[in-house]
Amino acid sequence: MAYGVIGVIGAMKEEIELFHGHMEQVEEQVKAGVRFYKGIFRGQAIVLCKSGVGKVNAAVTTQILADTFGVDAVIFTGVAGAVDPELEVGDIVVSTDCLQHDMDVTALGFPRGTIPYEEVSCFAADDRLRELAVSVSGDIFGGKVKQGRVLSGDQFIASRETVGQLRRELNGACTEMEGAAVAQVCSMNGIPFVIIRSMSDKADGSAHVNFAEFTVQASENSYRIVEQMLQRIS
């Protein structure tokens, strides 16, 4: 598996600062208010950036990675809330596909999550990147890794009832605020991608107790996976 340049995106500072500290030959560039770091990480050429929170930020950042930096693949790393009841804080989800849970045009007869008049609404991760992420995650964390659907929306989910709906109606494994936007833009540009999320909370209203504490742990978990992926790719 070989890629010329890989885009590595995190939504928050905690999710990218570990990468930045180990990059070499770094060139910095600002586009649309987003700071991009182009350089070498563990022998692999990457462009690292913090998208900011939410689908619009994620989409703009991903399109810049395509247009300005010509990346050959995208890895999004960070934290998420667990939707699959078997997931615990710290567990890993590797995306099989991504869907926008807040895309809701059911009033016009479209199933929830469907983007009206588009051929595709659920965007599949690249098989090679997904398999590599699963292999690396299994080596590091053993049985704490699941493959599944990443649900995205511009909402911080903190309700057991909503979690239940997302599981029943959309078969989500976890929920966050960027992955499906990254996935859609990558799909539109023909760029392979995978989303890797470490669970920071159970998306059930308890986040105020554990989110800040476990975001650091979860970010470190995600970093360890992507670090090993990039080493194997290079």
Side-chain angles (χ1 to χ4, degrees):
M1 183 187 301
Y3 298 96
V5 182
I6 297 178
V8 179
I9 311 174
M12 299 185 296
K13 178 184 73 173
E14 293 88 349
E15 295 167 343
I16 71 161
E17 60 185 1
L18 290 170
F19 293 95
H20 186 251
H22 292 92
M23 289 180 69
E24 301 173 343
Q25 304 174 33
V26 179
E27 299 175 14
E28 186 176 322
Q29 193 169 345
V30 177
K31 290 275 189 180
V34 179
R35 203 169 298 275
F36 295 84
Y37 303 96
K38 183 178 180 180
I40 306 298
F41 179 88
R42 306 298 195 223
Q44 172 65 45
I46 71 168
V47 180
L48 175 72
C49 56
K50 182 186 75 172
S51 65
V53 174
K55 292 190 299 178
V56 172
N57 282 329
V60 169
T61 299
T62 306
Q63 191 62 53
I64 293 171
L65 285 173
D67 289 342
T68 301
F69 297 98
V71 298
D72 299 294
V74 170
I75 300 173
F76 196 107
T77 176
V79 302
V83 172
D84 184 330
E86 294 184 0
L87 288 167
E88 300 294 338
V89 171
D91 287 357
I92 305 297
V93 170
V94 176
S95 65
T96 53
D97 52 25
C98 299
L99 183 73
Q100 297 178 58
H101 69 75
D102 62 349
M103 179 61 70
D104 188 347
V105 197
T106 53
L108 297 182
F110 294 92
R112 183 176 178 182
T114 298
I115 304 170
Y117 317 118
E118 297 288 338
E119 291 185 5
V120 180
S121 297
C122 192
F123 302 95
D126 178 71
D127 285 338
R128 291 190 304 166
L129 290 174
R130 176 181 54 78
E131 290 167 3
L132 177 60
V134 170
S135 174
V136 169
S137 301
D139 290 345
I140 298 173
F141 297 107
K144 300 180 68 174
V145 180
K146 275 184 172 284
Q147 299 183 64
R149 176 167 295 164
V150 173
L151 300 178
S152 306
D154 289 326
Q155 304 164 354
F156 189 95
I157 303 301
S159 158
R160 288 185 178 89
E161 180 181 357
T162 303
V163 167
Q165 290 176 346
L166 295 179
R167 184 65 175 168
R168 290 191 307 272
E169 296 178 13
L170 301 176
N171 194 32
C174 65
T175 180
E176 36 85 297
M177 301 175 72
E178 297 85 24
V182 172
Q184 183 173 353
V185 174
C186 283
S187 178
M188 293 169 74
N189 287 275
I191 298 173
F193 77 90
V194 70
I195 312 296
I196 301 166
R197 293 291 194 174
S198 180
M199 301 305 101
S200 61
D201 63 276
K202 301 274 282 182
D204 59 359
S206 63
H208 66 285
V209 175
N210 58 20
F211 182 76
E213 175 185 352
F214 287 112
T215 291
V216 175
Q217 174 196 330
S219 296
E220 289 175 354
N221 290 350
S222 294
Y223 166 78
R224 291 175 63 192
I225 294 167
V226 179
E227 176 190 34
Q228 289 297 314
M229 287 180 67
L230 293 172
Q231 283 185 303
R232 294 190 190 185
I233 288 172
S234 67

